[in-house]
Every structure is written in structure tokens, then in C-alpha cells.
């Protein structure tokens, strides 16, 4: 019996999930990466699980010690990919969501350093600020707020590179408003 390509696409994605659920993150990452590559090469035409595969790839890295460092090594080994920034930022956001503050800080700082113009960089910066606030490192949080205002507002290099994406620009404006309000409170408290 021959398995059709649509069924194989789902099986390929589910293999990644299976390895993830077994705690074999390296194999899960390889499966999710292979799935995304086949989608991008149009082998899997539906690309039904592509975004979930990228998210699970990032979650797999976030469940590893030093996830961002491991992801950086992984992408060095396989070569740069157009979704590398998305994976790195998602690692930090997942660490933050799971209360892994130190890992989130390391991951977000890595993502911000490697991909400063990524469209969701302001969200990553805001998540970094929140990590510092939770850890009661208010000075560092405020330094990051100032960077958020300076790095993502009109006239910045990030803004110029992302100006064509209205939703992204609006999100950055919202993050800047929050930062400005908190900067004022910080200096007047």
C-alpha cells in the first residue's frame, strides 16, 4: 500500500511531536526542521502544520538547558534559515511564559543581539523587561525600556526596515507607550 503525500506530511509532523513528548528534544528538533524544510521546498504542498512545527521546534529548544545557545549551534550547523529569528525569539518567549526567568533573559538577549531588526523585536524587548521586573532588577528593566523607545520608534533603523508592516508598527507603538509610562514612574517614584 502506498501512502499519499498528504498523509505522510501529517505523519512527519506527528513524529516530531512524538519525540518531543518522549523528551528526546534533539530528535524532535530534527523532525520539525525536516518538516519545515519540506514545506518550504514545496514537497508538502498543504504546509498545514508549518507554523506549529516552528513553534514546537522553539519549545523543544526552550526545554533544553541553554536553549538559545543550542539553537544558535543548530543553525550554525545547518546554515542560516529565514525562520531562525522566529525560532530564537520564540524560545525566549516560551521560557518567559514558563517562568524560566534566567533562561528567558539569556534567550531574549541572544535573539535581540542576533536579529535586532526582526519584526517582533519590540515584543521580545518587552518580554525581557518583564523578566527583569519579576526578578526585581528594576534598573535593568528601565535600561531596556529606554532601549525599546530608542530602538523601535520612528526614525530608528528597525522602524525603517519594518515600516511596510502596519500591524507590526502599531504593536511597536503600543510597547513604546507602555515603556514611556513606566520610565516616568521609575524616575518619579
Amino acid at each position: 500500500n502506498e501512502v499519499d503525500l498528504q498523509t505522510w506530511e501529517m505523519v512527519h509532523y506527528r513524529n516530531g511531536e512524538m519525540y518531543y513528548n518522549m523528551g528526546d528534544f534533539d530528535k524532535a528538533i530534527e523532525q520539525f526542521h525536516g518538516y519545515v524544510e519540506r514545506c518550504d521546498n514545496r514537497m508538502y504542498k498543504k504546509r498545514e502544520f508549518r507554523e506549529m512545527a516552528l513553534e514546537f521546534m522553539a519549545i523543544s529548544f526552550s526545554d533544553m538547558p541553554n536553549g538559545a545557545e543550542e539553537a544558535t549551534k543548530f543553525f550554525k550547523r545547518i546554515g542560516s534559515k529565514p525562520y531562525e529569528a522566529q525560532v530564537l525569539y520564540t524560545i525566549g518567549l516560551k521560557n518567559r511564559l514558563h517562568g524560566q526567568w534566567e533562561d528567558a533573559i539569556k534567550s531574549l538577549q541572544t535573539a535581540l543581539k542576533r536579529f535586532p531588526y526582526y519584526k517582533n523585536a519590540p515584543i521580545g524587548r518587552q518580554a525581557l523587561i518583564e523578566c527583569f521586573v519579576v526578578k526585581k532588577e528594576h534598573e535593568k528593566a528601565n535600561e531596556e525600556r529606554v532601549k525599546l523607545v530608542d530602538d523601535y520608534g520612528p526614525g530608528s533603523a528597525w522602524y525603517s526596515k519594518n515600516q511596510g508592516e502596519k500591524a507590526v508598527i502599531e504593536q511597536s507603538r503600543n510597547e513604546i507607550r507602555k515603556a514611556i509610562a513606566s520610565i516616568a514612574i521609575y524616575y518619579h517614584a
Side-chain angles (χ1 to χ4, degrees):
N1 291 343
E2 195 173 307
V3 177
D4 67 283
L5 201 52
Q6 258 184 301
T7 302
W8 182 244
E9 177 179 354
M10 184 177 65
V11 168
H12 192 165
Y13 172 78
R14 296 285 182 217
N15 278 341
E17 279 187 334
M18 178 190 66
Y19 284 119
Y20 175 79
N21 290 332
M22 291 174 18
D24 192 337
F25 303 128
D26 289 320
K27 284 186 180 173
I29 289 163
E30 290 296 336
Q31 286 294 312
F32 292 128
H33 167 254
Y35 176 83
V36 170
E37 287 298 300
R38 283 184 174 89
C39 287
D40 291 354
N41 292 326
R42 300 287 185 220
M43 185 176 171
Y44 295 151
K45 295 189 185 340
K46 280 183 79 176
R47 302 163 49 106
E48 188 173 3
F49 307 106
R50 186 183 182 282
E51 287 305 309
M52 290 188 330
L54 285 172
E55 184 162 348
F56 261 103
M57 180 190 262
I59 291 169
S60 298
F61 280 119
S62 77
D63 284 344
M64 297 173 144
N66 300 312
E69 188 177 311
E70 292 300 320
T72 300
K73 286 184 211 170
F74 176 80
F75 285 110
K76 259 189 191 157
R77 181 174 57 82
I78 66 165
S80 183
K81 298 293 177 183
Y83 48 82
E84 186 176 353
Q86 178 182 351
V87 170
L88 275 175
Y89 276 89
T90 303
I91 293 166
L93 294 173
K94 293 298 177 183
N95 286 140
R96 183 188 136 274
L97 186 66
H98 296 136
Q100 301 160 329
W101 310 118
E102 287 301 322
D103 286 335
I105 289 168
K106 280 192 263 180
S107 297
L108 291 166
Q109 286 175 330
T110 298
L112 287 161
K113 183 177 179 184
R114 295 218 33 235
F115 299 100
Y117 306 120
Y118 178 59
K119 66 180 183 176
N120 290 330
I123 295 168
R125 178 86 59 196
Q126 181 60 38
L128 180 60
I129 291 165
E130 292 166 8
C131 291
F132 285 132
V133 168
V134 167
K135 291 180 51 78
K136 298 188 184 329
E137 295 181 28
H138 301 292
E139 186 79 24
K140 288 181 181 177
N142 209 56
E143 288 170 14
E144 293 300 326
R145 286 183 190 110
V146 171
K147 287 179 188 175
L148 194 152
V149 172
D150 291 345
D151 292 350
Y152 307 116
S156 70
W158 177 90
Y159 193 94
S160 296
K161 291 184 186 308
N162 290 283
Q163 65 187 348
E165 296 199 45
K166 292 189 184 319
V168 170
I169 294 296
E170 187 56 37
Q171 179 68 42
S172 75
R173 287 183 181 137
N174 290 336
E175 300 302 343
I176 289 169
R177 276 188 219 106
K178 283 192 269 187
I180 289 173
S182 295
I183 290 170
I185 291 168
Y186 177 82
Y187 283 114
H188 289 86

